[in-house]
Amino acid sequence: MTTTNRTRRACRRSGTVTLGALLATAALAMMLVSMPAMARSADQPSDRFTLARIFDLQWAQDPQISPDGKQIVFVRGSFDIMHDARDATLWIINSDGTGLRPLSDPDVKAGSLRWSPDGTRVLFVTSKDKQAQIRVRWIASGQTASIAKLPAKPRELAWSPDGTRIAFAMFVAGKQRTHIANMPAKPKGADWGKPVEVVDRLNYRFDGRGMLPYGHTHLFVVPATGGTPRQLTFGAVDDRGSLTWSRDGKALIFSANRRAHAAYHPNRSQIYRVALDGGEPQALTDRAGPSRSPAVSPDGSKIAFTGFIDRNKGFHQNAHLYVMDRDGDHVRQVMTDLDRNVSHPQWSADGNGLYFQYVDHGVTRLGYTTLAGKMTVVADILGGGVDRPYSGGSYSLSPATGMFAFTLSAPDHPADVAVGRHTGADSQTTRLTHLNRSLLGHLQLGTLETIHFPSSHDGRRIQGWILKPPGFDPSHKYPLILEIHGGPSTSYGPTFSSDDQIYAANGYVVLYINPRGSTSYGAEFADLINLDYPHHDYDDLMSGVDAVIKRGYIDTDRLYVTGGSGGGVLTAWSVGHTDRFRAAVVVKPVINWYSWVLTADMGYMGMKYWMEGYPWEHTKRYMKRSPISYAGNVSTPTMVMHGEVDYRTPAPSSVQFYRALKMRQVPTVLVRIPGASHHIAAKPSNLVAKIAYKLGWFACYGGPSAGKQVCPYTGKAAP
């Protein structure tokens, strides 16, 4: 524990007994309901981005360019404030930026867009009366027809090369095999509640999906003119990886983990071929690691895919690009010198190269490589998120024309549709849509600056970004929020973030960093946290705070910290190792690794790759890296927030930290979000609540606040 700000720490402790007496259960509930009002600002200028304006945001997803390169269909995402949901409707735009218009009924959510090979039709997936459908729209006539009504949502849709069939993957329900007890008959009219459930699988629930039904995912083919889907694969295995067609249309090429007891071998997917005329799938690869995203060359002679040789350790392992003969022979890696994670390969029209997506220093890029491994950058910056500035985005390709469509993001707008053309060593890109111009065009947003600084641990160069409030004045002293990304194997980048823009609009400087362990800086950098997380990534974060403070515009008495998931881990770790922060908000954290591996949906993978052993065999290692072990050091007022049906970082972890701080009478509250999974922001109201409660908590401890409402946690007027 550092010894800075001891006076402030003593002041906090002097009020904890009274605070603990005040926070009875009923009073606490009333206080939490009233907290968002503390984050609202009646005096906030009309040209600022506000919480209410989040509901008006729109963004582009999955832009699919037509085979002739002349049109792009995409999913237009938005929030439905009346039904507290996310909408997804289909739109189309010409590649020259004209003709933006809807392609689907605005009341029907749709996705999984794919052009037919001849460019005359677009298929998509929608749901009506809770039944999934594959629908096709004829572009020239505007007519739409349902070609299949399905018992489960289809995935990985793909047109056959001649456009006469559509392949897809779909879950097929099965029956629970376990029969243990014979119950006596109920008396007539008796209500015994829900029946007992028997669980016999390692993975029986999954975040965002809840309890997993019994059954398996298999492959199907349906005529493009409609008809009965025909099942191609069977058995007690899951064929839920990406799929494509052989060029002769006689087989499907797909990725799947078809091993027995696949849940115990999560990184063992292979590439398979299954003939449409029947028979067992044939394995084309047999590698000690995952093989994914198969892409068949234009002449059908080769298959590209991504994957890696599994080292059975670490949070992250870079996927590389490989090419093999169509029968699985002569596998070789392309671009042996690219130390980045490669995804979504697509062939060029001449078959001499491949396009792919990767992230470099937080920036998502589109690249192209020849088969000899000569690489060029085709486009950046791709993006796709709304609430936080994660690296991401998507693209599609018109191989015959060299044109491509992608999602373009920047600090001042969420994802829009952009188009480009790759001509040899050169490429040009153009932004086509401005979906938020009427919302954001007249507002003053925070401005973003890239920062680099040395880590106090080893001098390693670390990258981050500073978001400055509208009207920033370097002679003024601003409060600082350190916002920590999750993962931990992911990265932030210079893209739009509703969370951070709201913080900036309320007068905060926001700092976000890619500490060691983040992806997009090479395998060695990502592997620095192997069996050592959290630890020196904390040093990187604190070095970033110090670097911004040296610029002279930060009020060092008003430092705040927050983060979700892996960022929640590091936030809890931070307040257990320093008292420099005035207040903290820990969101959906792992607090105890021992209990996490035994309760989380991906706990087995965490045990196998992150901890390398069962918790009862390595208790000291588990507890050394668990923030709960340092709860006795915490003096920072800390809010803990979690979703009630979060199976990725289950709620009991948050409760442990809250109870530990409560026992010690550290100022703390527990914010529970009913019905929310790990993706707390899935519902727009929860996205807004997440930000509002953070601002309310920080306002209790010196953060900017409108008016002079009394903060229920300090008994003082918010400044």
Side-chain angles (χ1 to χ4, degrees):
M1 172 69 69
T2 61
T3 57
T4 60
N5 297 317
R6 288 190 181 277
T7 301
R8 187 170 71 226
R9 184 172 70 174
C11 291
R12 291 176 190 157
R13 289 197 176 279
S14 67
T16 53
V17 175
T18 302
L19 179 63
L22 287 173
L23 298 185
T25 304
L28 176 60
M30 294 177 64
M31 291 171 184
L32 289 179
V33 170
S34 67
M35 271 189 70
M38 301 177 61
R40 292 196 297 265
S41 175
D43 301 325
Q44 197 169 28
S46 60
D47 62 352
R48 295 293 191 268
F49 187 53
T50 62
L51 287 170
R53 285 173 167 146
I54 289 178
F55 289 99
D56 297 323
L57 287 171
Q58 298 186 36
W59 58 93
Q61 298 171 261
D62 195 22
Q64 295 292 316
I65 192 166
S66 60
D68 61 9
K70 294 181 178 180
Q71 294 178 302
I72 300 163
V73 292
F74 66 97
V75 176
R76 187 168 183 167
S78 62
F79 293 128
D80 181 348
I81 192 172
M82 298 306 295
H83 297 92
D84 198 18
R86 295 184 179 224
D87 279 342
T89 55
L90 307 186
W91 286 67
I92 189 168
I93 189 171
N94 298 327
S95 295
D96 62 3
T98 63
L100 178 64
R101 60 196 185 278
L103 198 65
S104 67
D105 188 324
D107 296 327
V108 177
K109 295 181 180 181
S112 301
L113 299 167
R114 294 296 179 267
W115 284 93
S116 63
D118 62 4
T120 62
R121 294 158 290 167
V122 173
L123 71 79
F124 58 94
V125 174
T126 187
S127 178
K128 187 175 182 180
D129 299 326
K130 297 184 178 180
Q131 183 176 37
Q133 297 185 30
I134 299 176
R135 300 183 68 86
V136 171
R137 181 182 177 102
W138 282 258
I139 298 299
S141 68
Q143 292 180 308
T144 302
S146 174
I147 63 167
K149 296 181 179 180
L150 305 170
K153 184 178 180 179
R155 305 173 47 189
E156 307 296 338
L157 286 85
W159 289 89
S160 64
D162 61 5
T164 63
R165 293 157 293 172
I166 296 168
F168 61 93
M170 185 178 67
F171 179 79
V172 179
K175 291 184 178 180
Q176 183 177 0
R177 297 179 300 277
T178 303
H179 179 78
I180 296 175
N182 294 311
M183 291 289 291
K186 288 190 300 184
K188 185 177 181 180
D191 182 3
W192 288 3
K194 293 182 178 180
V196 171
E197 292 185 49
V198 177
V199 175
D200 65 351
R201 297 169 291 174
L202 175 65
N203 299 326
Y204 66 95
R205 63 183 187 180
F206 197 81
D207 188 71
R209 295 169 60 189
M211 295 294 293
L212 297 176
Y214 280 81
H216 296 279
T217 298
H218 291 300
L219 304 187
F220 294 78
V221 172
V222 64
T225 53
T228 301
R230 180 166 62 92
Q231 187 171 339
L232 295 181
T233 61
F234 303 85
V237 295
D238 286 294
D239 301 318
R240 55 174 171 234
S242 52
L243 67 87
T244 187
W245 289 76
S246 63
R247 289 299 173 186
D248 60 10
K250 295 181 179 180
L252 298 182
I253 312 297
F254 65 100
S255 170
N257 186 345
R258 296 177 62 87
R259 291 183 59 146
H261 309 294
Y264 294 91
H265 308 281
N267 275 337
R268 289 297 184 271
S269 61
Q270 305 295 339
I271 307 297
Y272 292 87
R273 180 186 187 276
V274 61
L276 266 68
D277 59 4
E280 284 293 310
Q282 170 193 359
L284 301 180
T285 61
D286 184 16
R287 293 160 47 84
S291 300
R292 306 168 178 148
S293 304
V296 179
S297 64
D299 65 2
S301 65
K302 295 180 176 62
I303 299 173
F305 64 96
T306 64
F308 57 83
I309 302 303
D310 189 9
R311 297 172 297 151
N312 289 308
K313 69 174 185 177
F315 284 88
H316 174 78
Q317 300 177 68
N318 278 341
H320 304 289
L321 180 62
Y322 296 89
V323 171
M324 64 182 177
D325 294 344
R326 63 185 168 195
D327 61 1
D329 287 342
H330 303 110
V331 178
R332 65 183 182 87
Q333 183 180 339
V334 184
M335 299 184 301
T336 55
D337 58 347
L338 179 63
D339 188 15
R340 296 293 184 268
N341 190 68
V342 173
S343 64
H344 304 95
Q346 295 192 52
W347 287 88
S348 60
D350 58 12
N352 292 327
L354 289 142
Y355 293 85
F356 59 94
Q357 190 170 310
Y358 69 109
V359 185
D360 179 41
H361 289 80
V363 176
T364 306
R365 306 183 190 276
L366 177 61
Y368 171 80
T369 180
T370 66
L371 294 183
K374 183 179 180 181
M375 176 193 152
T376 56
V377 178
V378 176
D380 61 14
I381 167 177
L382 281 68
V386 175
D387 59 333
R388 288 186 286 168
Y390 282 111
S391 307
S394 61
Y395 83 99
S396 65
L397 178 68
S398 169
T401 65
M403 295 186 67
F404 53 90
F406 63 101
T407 51
L408 173 70
S409 183
D412 61 352
H413 68 86
D416 274 298
V417 177
V419 68
R421 184 188 295 273
H422 182 223
T423 56
D426 191 22
S427 62
Q428 296 179 339
T429 62
T430 304
R431 180 180 175 183
L432 299 184
T433 65
H434 296 77
L435 301 180
N436 293 280
R437 175 182 286 165
S438 61
L439 171 64
L440 302 178
H442 68 285
L443 300 180
Q444 291 191 47
L445 298 176
T447 55
L448 198 68
E449 176 188 352
T450 304
I451 183 175
H452 294 90
F453 54 89
S455 170
S456 63
H457 170 61
D458 55 8
R460 188 178 296 269
R461 192 170 187 253
I462 305 297
Q463 183 181 26
W465 290 266
I466 305 170
L467 186 69
K468 300 172 183 176
F472 175 78
D473 180 355
S475 66
H476 183 69
K477 295 288 187 179
Y478 293 89
L480 173 72
I481 293 178
L482 171 64
E483 208 280 329
I484 309 174
H485 76 60
S489 295
T490 185
S491 62
Y492 274 161
T495 60
F496 182 82
S497 165
S498 62
D499 293 31
D500 294 343
Q501 287 291 350
I502 289 292
Y503 302 148
N506 279 269
Y508 291 92
V509 168
V510 184
L511 172 65
Y512 60 89
I513 295 168
N514 284 335
R516 67 192 62 215
S518 300
T519 54
S520 78
Y521 298 89
E524 187 264 345
F525 188 84
D527 207 37
L528 287 172
I529 61 172
N530 181 42
L531 300 181
D532 198 27
Y533 167 80
H535 193 194
H536 295 304
D537 38 5
Y538 161 77
D539 298 324
D540 299 344
L541 294 166
M542 295 306 106
S543 298
V545 173
D546 293 337
V548 179
I549 288 174
K550 288 179 181 178
R551 297 184 171 217
Y553 50 74
I554 298 300
D555 180 351
T556 57
D557 196 47
R558 293 198 294 167
L559 305 179
Y560 305 92
V561 61
T562 187
S565 194
V569 175
L570 277 164
T571 301
W573 183 273
S574 295
V575 296
H577 287 77
T578 182
D579 64 354
R580 73 188 304 181
F581 295 104
R582 189 81 170 266
V585 180
V586 176
V587 184
K588 54 187 182 184
V590 176
I591 295 299
N592 184 332
W593 289 109
Y594 196 121
S595 59
W596 179 81
V597 300
L598 300 176
T599 58
D601 60 356
M602 55 180 294
Y604 181 82
M605 176 171 280
M607 180 277 297
K608 182 179 178 68
Y609 289 93
W610 303 353
M611 298 296 178
E612 287 193 323
Y614 297 112
W616 50 87
E617 295 177 352
H618 303 279
T619 303
K620 289 184 178 180
R621 178 192 298 167
Y622 275 75
M623 299 314 296
K624 183 179 180 180
R625 299 294 166 226
S626 295
I628 195 66
S629 297
Y630 308 95
N633 297 336
V634 179
S635 62
T636 304
T638 301
M639 171 183 282
V640 185
M641 182 184 300
H642 71 82
E644 284 293 277
V645 289
D646 185 340
Y647 298 135
R648 186 61 41 83
T649 55
S653 195
S654 294
V655 173
Q656 287 181 45
F657 200 57
Y658 165 73
R659 291 278 292 175
L661 300 189
K662 205 67 176 171
M663 288 176 179
R664 297 186 53 250
Q665 300 184 49
V666 175
T668 183
V669 294
L670 180 67
V671 177
R672 303 162 55 209
I673 303 181
S677 67
H678 193 66
H679 184 23
I680 285 177
K683 289 186 176 182
S685 67
N686 288 343
L687 189 162
V688 172
K690 176 187 67 171
I691 305 170
Y693 276 74
K694 288 183 182 182
L695 290 174
W697 186 249
F698 294 157
C700 287
Y701 298 96
S705 174
K708 297 294 180 181
Q709 299 97 331
V710 173
C711 178
Y713 303 100
T714 63
K716 300 178 181 179

